[in-house]
Amino acid sequence: MNDTPEDPTTQARAAVADRIAAAFADAGVDGAVHAVDIDRGTQAGHGADRLVCTASVHKLCLLLALHRLAAAGRLDLTEQVECAVEGRTPGGTGLAAMLDASRMSLRDLAYLMIAVSDNAAADLLLARVGLEEVNRTTRALGLRHTRAVESFAAMQEGMREDAGPAAARALTDPLVLARLRALDPTHGNRSTPRELTRLLGAVWRDEFLPEAHGAAVRRLLGLQVWPHRLASGFPFDDVQVFGKTGTLPTLRAEAGVVEYPDGGRYAVAVFTRAADTRHVVPAADAVIGLVARLAVDGLRGAS
């Protein structure tokens, strides 16, 4: 936790930190979380400055770079892109799972990238925007530890190389997982929980993009279809959750914003690594919502 004048009392902050640590331990994960009240600046966290592999959470940075270029008049979001079948980045959703060629606007590719985490759509956008533009965008936000290093196709190819002949079948073997470069935050796309909440706060306060573009980004994050992580901690009809998930073997994450009907707005980023190497570990998904709720409840109690 951060000991600032606006933060909760030391005793209350310590209690929240203990509950977060216990929740991670009970779920069998090593976790890091940062939450911030977007308007007041109060913060809560556990491992908030830990360097983490962002996986598909890095699509947030690509989305901001896309809208930054559009706001500067350097591209048109209605520009049409040919989406050939050959060479598509693999994945189980969106274009990545489709069988036929199509033609789609940049903004509709962005929708698929965020709403269903479509890797093929993300890499088509990345080909248009460029890795360096993504990094220029995060540098402009003052995010010193956030960096895009490779495309999603390159990340997948690296995992295939590291897994060896057994390929995907080997991705539950702890010895194989230990050599995956994709799980090393010094190798691939990376950030910290605190830097991701800073990014989200800037978008929600319309500090980084013009208002229309900020609203477009917020709309897409509100259309994400996955309810099993961040949103699971806020099962209320009058609380809205915006987010972007990320997943790699043993790694589960989400960064997003929780909005309450009283006007409270909280940016949260949670990253976990599970000891259990199975692909389906419900407790490792659910703890993301749980610790986000613990952190946000702590901030609301400090208001």
Side-chain angles (χ1 to χ4, degrees):
M1 300 288 182
N2 298 300
D3 197 8
T4 70
E6 293 182 313
D7 278 339
T9 64
T10 300
Q11 183 176 2
R13 286 186 287 111
V16 173
D18 288 345
R19 293 180 70 189
I20 289 173
F24 281 141
D26 288 346
V29 303
D30 178 32
V33 56
H34 186 253
V36 60
D37 184 318
I38 288 172
D39 300 299
R40 291 169 51 86
T42 52
Q43 303 176 56
H46 174 86
D49 296 309
R50 184 184 304 174
L51 197 66
V52 293
C53 300
T54 45
S56 284
V57 173
H58 220 97
K59 291 168 183 171
L60 277 172
C61 303
L62 174 53
L63 180 64
L64 260 64
L66 177 74
H67 276 272
R68 185 172 182 239
L69 289 175
R74 295 171 58 191
L75 60 75
D76 183 343
L77 292 171
T78 66
E79 176 186 321
Q80 299 292 301
V81 176
E82 298 295 335
C83 309
V85 174
E86 297 77 15
R88 277 185 188 167
T89 302
T93 60
L95 286 172
M98 294 179 187
L99 301 177
D100 300 313
S102 62
R103 195 164 186 264
M104 194 171 293
S105 68
L106 293 174
R107 63 185 179 184
D108 282 345
L109 287 172
Y111 160 71
L112 289 175
M113 175 179 73
I114 298 300
V116 296
S117 202
D118 181 353
N119 289 332
D123 275 347
L124 286 169
L125 290 172
L126 189 57
R128 180 66 176 84
V129 170
L131 278 173
E132 187 47 45
E133 187 62 39
V134 176
N135 289 325
R136 275 193 286 267
T137 296
T138 52
R139 285 197 298 270
L141 277 162
L143 309 184
R144 296 176 50 246
H145 303 291
T146 302
R147 183 162 178 79
V149 174
E150 59 189 358
S151 68
F152 296 96
M155 181 174 62
Q156 292 180 356
E157 180 58 29
M159 286 198 295
R160 284 191 291 270
E161 292 174 357
D162 294 343
R169 297 190 304 278
L171 293 181
T172 57
D173 182 338
L175 294 178
V176 172
L177 293 174
R179 65 175 184 252
L180 291 187
R181 288 167 290 171
L183 296 177
D184 178 358
T186 66
H187 171 80
N189 300 338
R190 54 190 176 264
S191 187
T192 70
R194 190 190 307 275
E195 289 200 348
L196 289 166
T197 60
R198 185 186 305 171
L199 177 155
L200 289 164
V203 171
W204 252 253
R205 291 188 298 268
D206 285 321
E207 291 176 350
F208 186 68
L209 296 170
E211 185 176 353
H213 287 276
V217 168
R218 295 189 291 270
R219 170 183 173 269
L220 291 184
L221 294 175
L223 295 175
Q224 182 184 232
V225 301
W226 316 123
H228 60 309
R229 291 185 182 167
L230 188 59
S232 70
F234 304 89
F236 313 110
D237 289 342
D238 58 354
V239 175
Q240 190 169 3
V241 178
F242 306 76
K244 181 68 203 77
T245 57
T247 308
L248 286 170
T250 71
L251 184 152
R252 296 166 180 85
E254 186 162 359
V257 169
V258 182
E259 292 188 353
Y260 277 74
D262 62 5
R265 308 185 297 174
Y266 309 90
V268 189
V270 186
F271 285 78
T272 71
R273 286 285 304 275
D276 190 330
T277 63
R278 291 177 297 171
H279 298 309
V280 179
V281 186
D285 287 311
V287 76
I288 291 174
L290 174 58
V291 300
R293 176 72 180 278
L294 290 171
V296 169
D297 280 355
L299 294 176
R300 288 178 64 78
S303 298

